[in-house]
């Protein structure tokens, strides 16, 4: 039968489209909370059978298979995706938790909620997706340049003269001159006048170093150059548009904005400035360490808003410097500038967040209290990377000296970076909130505690100590909230699982199954995840980024397995990425460590079906651990309590059947709460003393529960092992004092030997940071005294009888050893 030419053309086109369509398979996820389905067209490949081992994905694809073919509308970029390309692990639209919310206790005036919302992630490396620029015949290179040229020019006022005229600075100059002269020096004396000129010149020199000199044209040129370089280094730079809108609203309010990022890389401040610039939001002035003042780079960074400060400032001995710095920041905010600084001080060397330093935050709070500014917006920021640009910090963690920042070192790092690939970079802005709200809430809490000390007959804190305590707590609250809301990247999840569940290796299928389970737990806890797609593809992506120097494939009798290399430098680097998940598991790990300490050996031999532990003993040991590790972690928000945290973990363990449900347990909880309420509300002249009933928890001993308990225990074990080694090292000293630098090296050497002998279980426990933090913790426990003379720190054991072992340090060592004892 002869068809008309038009019909032949239609049939030919239909056949062609059908052949194209057959190259692809349809993937559809089940209905989300809002009733919608996510539908994708993905390439057909031979790995489909492996990928469907993901139990959840297989169930959804079977359960929600469509009965009839539907028609879809595709983006032209994705319609003709090559068959051999891997599916992207970052999905552009998904139903996600509204992370980065304000604390409902400390910021009660802000709307708060955990409702999940549809959020469209945006890749800022796609210039045509973030602005009004259209594709031209000249290509993206010229289009990018045109985009940055058209960006809004921001106004930056140079405030050099305002600082010199500040009354606080003038008083500091006079005080410095008086201290340099004789005590009887007076105004008009020639020596005093000469010293005044010297101090004024010193002030101008300090201010010249500190001051940023922002140039808009430099910002645009460097912004374009940085944009092009990041496009070469990374797959994508991801932000959430809803978060950008919140930041824009805060910036347009007329109040200064204080950006407080967690610090992981030198890319942090570069990316923050770039993200704000491309969204036409005024970038802030950035506090940078004086170590970055190197040839050419220092001037360039100054043009981009960097002001340089000393890494360590003694506010009492260097009052002139502190007054100049304080005045510069306060006048900057008063003149309409925004400020960015890192509460942690330096970059994290371990991957987890560091305990904050509140020095610069106190200047911001002072500006509010002195009414220099009406108020300010606080915006915590978290930057996350599949891989960091610096490579690793293994040298420093093993006790080797830090390499000095130089121009040639920066160029070398840049060249190495261009030859590598760093996956996905992501930036998240927590919800902005007012400085006034956080300060007043924390200050009220501090004053109530001070009044409680007075009622109990204890010495009250002075006004200065109260203020310092309030600012410290504000800093810890900000860092805690930001760390808990930081999204988890693919490399973080894979490294965490390899170190805590599969140190000896596992198959890709088993690793994918564990990753799926962990993703479910994180989603249930409203943690945002910085990747999507099938777990098997996520793992392959992460392993590809980590490379064969960290993770290897091996062929065994049971099949092909993936395993981490168990050398100490490799374990330290893997732990850097895995430690990002400690924020989610640290409370469970503390309770698991305590449970493992309290149970007897029969518990691990399966000789009994269950055992009981005391709640009072549990809380006491958890309290000890939080105090021991207080310089490594921020465990608790100032507005929360340890009892509340323990209760939440116990309920979680009950759901996982680690702790067996007891009907009487809930009744005892209610009885205790009722007794406390009646005791506090009673108006009787004579009140019966409240007697707390010690609750007994029933710990399950089946194999599944034991495995979960061991997994949670392993999360914090490297830090406990390091603390145990540090405490034990003092028992072997022949003298009562030792130089810190020498003793640190002794501990590192001893840890290497113990690891080879099998005494240590975790190679990543060898950590310079944790060793130094252990000294500070032992000092808090009155086991050690740290003195500094001529910049040399000396550790002195507190002991009344030098001929005998220090009883307090010996008790400390034995107590920590109970937590790290070997279990079956």
């Amino acid at each position: 039968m002869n068809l008309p030419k038009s019909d032949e053309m239609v049939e030919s086109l239909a056949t062609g489209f059908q052949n194209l369509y057959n190259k692809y398979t349809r993937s559809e996820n089940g209905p989300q909370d809002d009733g919608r389905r996510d539908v994708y067209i993905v390439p057909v490949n031979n790995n489909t059978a492996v990928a469907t081992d993901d139990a959840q994905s297989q169930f959804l694809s079977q359960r929600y298979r469509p009965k009839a073919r539907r028609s879809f509308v595709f983006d032209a970029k994705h319609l003709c995706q090559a068959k051999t390309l891997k599916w992207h692990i970052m999905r552009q639209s998904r139903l996600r938790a509204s992370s980065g919310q304000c604390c409902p206790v400390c910021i009660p005036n802000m709307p708060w909620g955990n409702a999940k919302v549809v959020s469209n992630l945006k890749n800022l490396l796609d210039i045509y997706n973030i602005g009004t620029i259209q594709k031209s015949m000249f290509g993206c290179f010229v289009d990018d340049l045109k985009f940055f040229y058209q960006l809004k020019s921001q106004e930056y006022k140079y405030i050099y003269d305002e600082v010199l005229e500040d009354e606080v600075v003038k008083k500091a100059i006079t005080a410095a001159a008086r201290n340099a002269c004789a005590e009887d020096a007076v105004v008009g004396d020639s020596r005093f006048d000469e010293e005044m000129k010297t101090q004024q010149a010193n002030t101008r020199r300090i201010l010249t170093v500190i001051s940023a000199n922002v140039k808009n044209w430099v910002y645009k040129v460097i912004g374009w150059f940085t944009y092009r370089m990041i496009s070469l280094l990374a797959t994508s730079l991801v932000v959430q548009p809803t978060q950008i809108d919140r930041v824009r609203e805060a910036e347009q309010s007329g109040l200064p904005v204080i950006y407080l990022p967690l610090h992981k890389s030198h890319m942090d401040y570069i990316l923050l400035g770039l993200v704000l610039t491309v969204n036409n939001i005024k970038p802030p002035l950035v506090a940078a360490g004086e170590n970055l003042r190197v040839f050419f780079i220092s001037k360039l960074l100054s043009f981009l808003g960097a002001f340089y400060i000393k890494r360590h400032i003694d506010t009492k001995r260097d009052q002139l410097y502190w007054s100049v710095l304080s005045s510069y920041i306060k006048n900057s905010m008063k003149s309409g500038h925004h400020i960015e600084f890192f509460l942690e001080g330096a970059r994290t060397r371990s991957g987890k967040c560091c305990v904050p330093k509140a020095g610069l935050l106190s200047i911001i709070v002072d500006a509010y209290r002195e009414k220099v500014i009406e108020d300010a917006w606080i915006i915590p920021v978290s930057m996350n990377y599949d891989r960091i640009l610096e490579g690793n910090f293994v040298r420093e963690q093993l006790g080797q000296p830090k390499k000095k920042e130089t121009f040639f070192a920066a160029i070398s790092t840049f060249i190495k970076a261009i030859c590598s690939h760093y996956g996905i970079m992501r930036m998240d802005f927590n919800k902005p909130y007012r400085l006034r709200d956080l300060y007043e809430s924390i200050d009220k809490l501090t004053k109530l505690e001070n009044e409680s000390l007075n009622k109990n007959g204890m010495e009250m804190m002075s006004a200065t100590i109260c203020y310092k305590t309030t600012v410290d707590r504000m800093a810890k609250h900000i860092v805690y909230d930001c760390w808990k809301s930081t999204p988890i990247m693919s490399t973080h999840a894979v490294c965490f699982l390899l170190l805590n569940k599969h140190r000896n290796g596992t198959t890709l299928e088993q690793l994918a199954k564990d990753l799926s389970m962990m993703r479910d737990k994180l989603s249930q806890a409203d943690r945002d995840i910085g990747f999507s797609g099938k777990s098997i593809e996520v793992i392959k992506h992460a392993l590809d980024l980590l490379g064969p120097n960290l993770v290897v494939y091996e062929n065994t009798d049971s099949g092909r397995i993936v395993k981490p290399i168990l050398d100490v430098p490799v374990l330290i680097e893997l732990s850097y990425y895995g430690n990002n998940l400690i924020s989610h598991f640290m409370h469970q790990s503390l309770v698991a460590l305590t449970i493992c300490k309290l149970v007897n050996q029969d518990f691990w031999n399966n000789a009994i079906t269950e055992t009981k532990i005391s709640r009072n003993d549990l809380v006491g040991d958890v309290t000890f651990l939080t105090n021991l590790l207080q310089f490594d972690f921020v465990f608790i928000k100032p507005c929360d309590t340890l009892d509340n945290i323990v209760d939440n973990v116990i309920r979680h363990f009950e759901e996982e059947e680690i702790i067996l449900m007891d009907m009487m347990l809930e009744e005892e909880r209610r009885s205790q709460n009722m007794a406390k309420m009646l005791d506090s509300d009673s108006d009787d002249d004579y009140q019966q003393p409240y007697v707390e009933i010690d609750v007994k928890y029933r710990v399950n001993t089946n194999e599944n529960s034991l495995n979960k308990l061991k997994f949670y225990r392993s999360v914090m074990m490297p830090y406990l092992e390091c603390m145990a080694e540090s405490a034990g090292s003092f028992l072997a000293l022949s003298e009562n004092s030792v130089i810190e630098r020498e003793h640190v090296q002794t501990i590192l050497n001893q840890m290497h030997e113990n690891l080879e002998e099998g005494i240590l279980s975790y190679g990543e426990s060898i950590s310079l940071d944790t060793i130094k933090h252990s000294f500070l913790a032992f000092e808090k426990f009155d086991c050690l005294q740290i003195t500094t003379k001529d910049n040399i720190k000396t550790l002195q054991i507190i002991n009344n009888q030098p001929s005998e072992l220090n009883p307090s340090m010996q008790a400390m060592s034995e107590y920590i050893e109970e937590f790290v004892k070997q279990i079956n």
Side-chain angles (χ1 to χ4, degrees):
M1 176 175 145
N2 295 326
L3 295 174
K5 290 184 178 181
S6 58
D7 293 341
E8 290 179 357
M9 185 177 297
V10 170
E11 183 177 3
S12 176
L13 288 173
T15 303
F17 277 113
Q18 184 62 45
N19 292 335
L20 176 64
Y21 180 77
N22 288 337
K23 292 182 181 181
Y24 297 82
T25 182
R26 183 175 182 279
S27 174
E28 179 176 355
N29 286 348
Q32 308 295 325
D33 292 350
D34 60 353
R36 66 184 179 84
R37 287 188 176 94
D38 285 337
V39 182
Y40 306 99
I41 297 298
V42 299
V44 178
N45 54 56
N46 295 329
N47 296 327
T48 304
V50 177
T52 54
D53 285 345
D54 189 330
Q56 182 181 9
S57 299
Q58 187 176 16
F59 170 77
L60 291 173
S61 63
Q62 293 175 355
R63 172 67 179 83
Y64 298 103
R65 183 177 291 116
K67 295 181 180 179
R69 176 170 301 198
R70 301 177 186 177
S71 55
F72 304 93
V73 178
F74 305 104
D75 186 344
K77 296 179 182 178
H78 303 297
L79 177 60
C80 297
Q81 186 177 16
K83 181 177 179 179
T84 56
L85 288 181
K86 294 182 179 179
W87 173 241
H88 293 295
I89 67 163
M90 186 198 75
R91 202 161 61 197
Q92 292 298 317
S93 179
R94 63 182 292 184
L95 192 68
R96 62 180 72 245
S98 183
S99 59
Q101 293 291 322
C102 306
C103 174
V105 177
C106 298
I107 316 293
N109 299 326
M110 298 291 290
W112 184 86
N114 283 330
K116 291 187 176 181
V117 296
V118 177
S119 178
N120 295 316
L121 297 180
K122 181 180 288 188
N123 179 14
L124 294 186
L125 299 185
D126 182 2
I127 199 72
Y128 306 108
N129 190 37
I130 62 175
T132 58
I133 297 295
Q134 302 295 325
K135 284 188 177 181
S136 69
M137 59 181 293
F138 302 104
C140 62
F141 185 87
V142 176
D143 292 344
D144 294 347
L145 191 60
K146 180 181 178 183
F147 172 81
F148 279 89
Y149 175 77
Q150 293 179 351
L151 288 176
K152 176 183 176 182
S153 294
Q154 306 292 346
E155 181 181 353
Y156 289 91
K157 183 180 178 182
Y158 193 60
I159 58 168
Y160 188 95
D161 294 333
E162 285 82 348
V163 176
L164 292 178
E165 296 299 322
D166 194 320
E167 290 298 325
V168 175
V169 174
K170 289 181 178 179
K171 290 180 180 178
I173 293 174
T174 303
R178 196 179 302 279
N179 291 335
C181 296
E183 294 182 358
D184 58 349
V186 295
V187 177
D189 183 51
S190 60
R191 288 183 56 199
F192 181 80
D193 292 344
E194 187 67 26
E195 190 60 38
M196 279 288 291
K197 293 179 181 179
T198 302
Q199 295 300 329
Q200 289 170 354
N202 190 29
T203 301
R204 287 191 291 270
R205 180 186 60 80
I206 294 172
L207 186 56
T208 301
V209 171
I210 289 179
S211 296
N213 188 15
V214 185
K215 305 289 186 182
N216 271 289
W217 68 269
V218 176
Y219 229 121
K220 292 183 179 182
V221 172
I222 299 301
W224 170 79
F225 177 78
T226 304
Y227 185 87
R228 296 303 308 169
M229 290 303 101
I230 294 177
S231 300
L232 297 176
L233 301 177
T235 304
S236 52
L237 172 58
V238 184
V239 298
Q240 291 193 44
T242 53
Q243 295 178 354
I244 297 295
D245 292 340
R246 291 174 183 171
V247 174
R248 182 177 289 106
E249 291 175 4
E251 195 265 342
Q252 293 176 352
S253 67
L255 295 175
V257 179
I258 313 301
Y259 296 94
L260 300 174
L262 297 182
H263 201 6
K264 292 187 177 180
S265 168
H266 283 313
M267 289 295 294
D268 295 344
Y269 42 83
I270 295 174
L271 290 183
L272 180 57
L274 179 63
V275 168
L276 296 177
T277 298
V278 299
N279 286 282
N280 274 319
I281 299 174
K282 184 178 181 178
L285 303 182
V286 186
E290 279 195 327
N291 60 308
L292 294 179
R293 292 187 66 238
V294 295
F295 171 71
F296 177 71
I297 295 178
S298 60
K299 199 66 176 177
L300 181 63
L301 292 180
S302 179
F303 288 154
L304 298 176
F307 62 95
Y308 296 97
I309 62 175
K310 292 181 180 179
R311 303 298 296 270
H312 304 285
I313 305 173
D314 190 333
T315 57
K316 294 182 179 179
R317 297 180 58 183
D318 203 351
Q319 292 183 356
L320 178 60
Y321 183 90
W322 181 253
S323 66
V324 174
L325 176 61
S326 300
S327 177
Y328 179 78
I329 294 177
K330 292 175 184 177
N331 280 283
S332 294
M333 292 189 293
K334 185 178 180 181
S335 300
H337 300 328
H338 309 310
I339 304 294
E340 173 194 349
F341 60 90
F342 300 97
L343 282 171
E344 299 168 283
R347 292 167 293 167
T348 174
R349 265 59 178 172
S350 59
K352 63 178 182 59
C353 77
C354 303
V355 175
K357 302 173 178 62
L360 292 182
L361 182 62
S362 67
I363 297 177
I364 307 297
V365 177
D366 280 340
Y368 163 70
R369 295 175 69 209
E370 296 166 3
K371 301 188 184 305
V372 176
I373 56 174
E374 178 186 351
D375 202 349
W377 288 102
I378 298 293
I379 304 183
V381 186
S382 62
M383 270 77 78
N384 234 339
Y385 310 86
D386 276 341
R387 280 184 60 203
I388 61 168
L389 191 69
E390 287 84 343
N392 59 64
F393 299 99
V394 174
R395 280 176 44 88
E396 297 173 40
Q397 291 293 66
L398 293 178
Q400 299 178 29
K402 178 185 175 182
K403 289 184 177 180
K404 187 178 180 181
E405 305 282 356
T406 64
F407 175 75
F408 295 104
I411 295 298
S412 176
T413 301
F414 177 73
I415 294 174
K416 291 179 181 178
I418 292 180
C419 300
S420 303
H421 185 63
Y422 297 90
I424 296 173
M425 299 180 178
R426 173 147 179 191
M427 180 176 298
D428 285 84
F429 297 87
N430 281 23
K431 193 170 185 178
Y433 54 86
R434 296 291 187 95
L435 171 69
R436 175 183 57 199
D437 292 338
L438 181 63
Y439 169 73
E440 291 180 352
S441 296
I442 302 297
D443 186 53
K444 181 178 180 181
L445 177 64
T446 305
K447 289 178 179 178
L448 288 174
E449 290 186 4
N450 208 20
E451 292 176 1
S452 178
L453 292 175
N454 187 33
K455 290 181 180 179
N456 294 328
M458 301 175 67
E459 183 179 358
M460 295 180 64
M461 296 182 289
S462 65
T464 302
I465 295 178
C466 269
Y467 174 64
K468 185 178 183 301
T469 302
T470 296
V471 177
D472 286 341
R473 287 176 169 176
M474 290 173 63
K476 290 180 178 179
H477 202 315
I478 294 168
V479 167
Y480 179 92
D481 286 343
C482 194
W483 192 33
K484 293 284 281 186
S485 63
T486 300
I488 306 301
M489 310 301 285
S490 60
T491 49
H492 303 168
V494 171
C495 289
F496 181 81
L497 289 173
L498 288 176
L499 290 178
N500 293 282
K501 294 194 74 171
H502 303 295
R503 295 178 80 89
N504 296 321
T506 186
T507 62
L508 282 177
E509 291 75 14
Q510 181 61 44
L511 192 58
K513 182 179 178 181
D514 291 335
L515 179 60
S516 296
M517 293 175 61
M518 189 170 71
R519 291 168 70 175
D520 290 340
K521 289 183 179 180
L522 293 172
S523 297
Q524 291 171 9
D526 291 334
R527 287 299 298 268
D528 199 358
I529 301 173
F531 56 88
S532 62
K534 293 182 178 180
S535 293
I536 194 78
E537 299 297 334
V538 172
I539 291 171
K540 290 178 180 179
H541 168 83
L543 295 178
D544 189 39
L545 286 172
L546 293 172
N549 293 329
L550 301 180
V551 183
V552 296
Y553 290 96
E554 285 187 1
N555 294 319
T556 64
D557 296 337
S558 58
R560 195 165 187 243
I561 65 171
V562 56
K563 62 181 298 185
I565 298 174
L566 298 182
D567 293 337
V568 171
V570 175
L571 288 172
I572 292 175
E573 186 170 354
L574 289 174
S575 69
Y576 178 93
Y577 295 104
N579 283 346
N580 283 273
L581 275 91
I582 290 184
S583 62
H584 180 72
F585 291 101
M586 60 183 177
H587 295 152
Q588 294 97 313
S589 186
L590 291 178
V591 176
L593 279 162
T594 301
I595 291 175
C596 294
K597 170 186 174 293
L598 294 176
V599 298
N600 54 38
Q601 190 61 35
D602 293 336
F603 178 81
W604 303 106
N605 297 332
N606 293 324
I608 53 178
T609 58
E610 65 177 61
T611 188
K612 291 186 178 182
I613 59 173
S614 163
R615 173 186 167 82
N616 288 345
D617 292 342
L618 178 69
V619 173
D621 284 341
V622 172
T623 302
F624 168 76
L625 291 179
T626 57
N627 290 330
L628 182 67
L629 297 171
Q630 63 180 296
F631 298 100
D632 278 289
F633 296 93
V634 180
F635 286 109
I636 310 171
K637 294 189 296 184
C639 56
D640 205 352
T641 63
L642 190 61
D643 278 339
N644 186 42
I645 288 174
V646 171
D647 285 340
N648 291 335
V649 174
I650 292 300
R651 290 190 181 94
H652 175 72
F653 280 5
E654 287 175 346
E655 294 173 0
E656 294 198 345
E657 297 182 348
I658 297 173
I659 301 291
L660 296 175
M661 289 288 292
D662 194 336
M663 296 303 295
M664 293 298 297
L665 184 59
E666 194 63 33
E667 293 296 328
E668 289 176 353
R669 289 172 181 160
R670 293 175 183 173
S671 299
Q672 287 195 18
N673 291 333
M674 183 63 70
K676 290 179 181 179
M677 291 174 59
L678 293 175
D679 181 67
S680 60
D681 294 340
S682 177
D683 294 330
D684 295 341
D685 294 335
Y686 174 76
Q687 296 182 8
Q688 293 290 338
Y690 170 67
V691 179
E692 184 175 0
I693 303 173
D694 188 16
V695 176
K696 301 291 183 181
Y697 296 130
R698 298 163 53 210
V699 186
N700 197 357
T701 62
N702 66 39
E703 183 178 0
N704 187 35
S705 298
L706 293 181
N707 289 336
K708 292 177 181 178
L709 203 57
K710 291 176 181 178
F711 165 73
Y712 286 125
R713 180 179 186 262
S714 68
V715 174
M716 300 290 291
M717 269 295 291
Y719 296 92
L720 266 295
E721 279 195 343
C722 188
M723 288 285 178
E725 290 290 316
S726 179
S729 68
F730 288 99
L731 304 181
L733 289 179
S734 58
E735 299 180 355
N736 279 349
S737 63
V738 64
I739 296 176
E740 182 193 60
R741 181 178 61 256
E742 297 175 354
H743 194 59
V744 165
Q745 196 59 50
T746 300
I747 296 174
L748 289 171
N749 295 336
Q750 185 64 46
M751 292 185 73
H752 280 285
E753 294 178 6
N754 289 343
L755 182 64
E756 293 178 359
E757 296 175 4
I759 298 175
L760 288 179
S761 302
Y762 299 89
E764 62 269 30
S765 64
I766 302 176
S767 168
L768 177 68
D769 283 352
T770 306
I771 291 173
K772 289 186 175 181
H773 293 158
S774 71
F775 302 155
L776 299 175
F778 297 154
E779 185 180 35
K780 287 288 185 180
F781 280 102
D782 294 327
C783 300
L784 200 66
Q785 184 176 355
I786 304 176
T787 57
T788 304
K789 185 177 181 181
D790 298 329
N791 293 325
I792 298 176
K793 288 186 178 181
T794 302
L795 310 176
Q796 184 173 0
I797 300 175
I798 300 175
N799 192 357
N800 297 327
Q801 298 178 348
S803 60
E804 300 180 0
L805 289 176
N806 176 19
S808 58
M809 185 63 79
Q810 187 173 12
M812 172 68 67
S813 178
E814 292 173 354
Y815 196 17
I816 300 175
E817 286 290 345
E818 293 183 27
F819 289 96
V820 300
K821 61 187 177 183
Q822 298 287 342
I823 61 176
N824 297 330

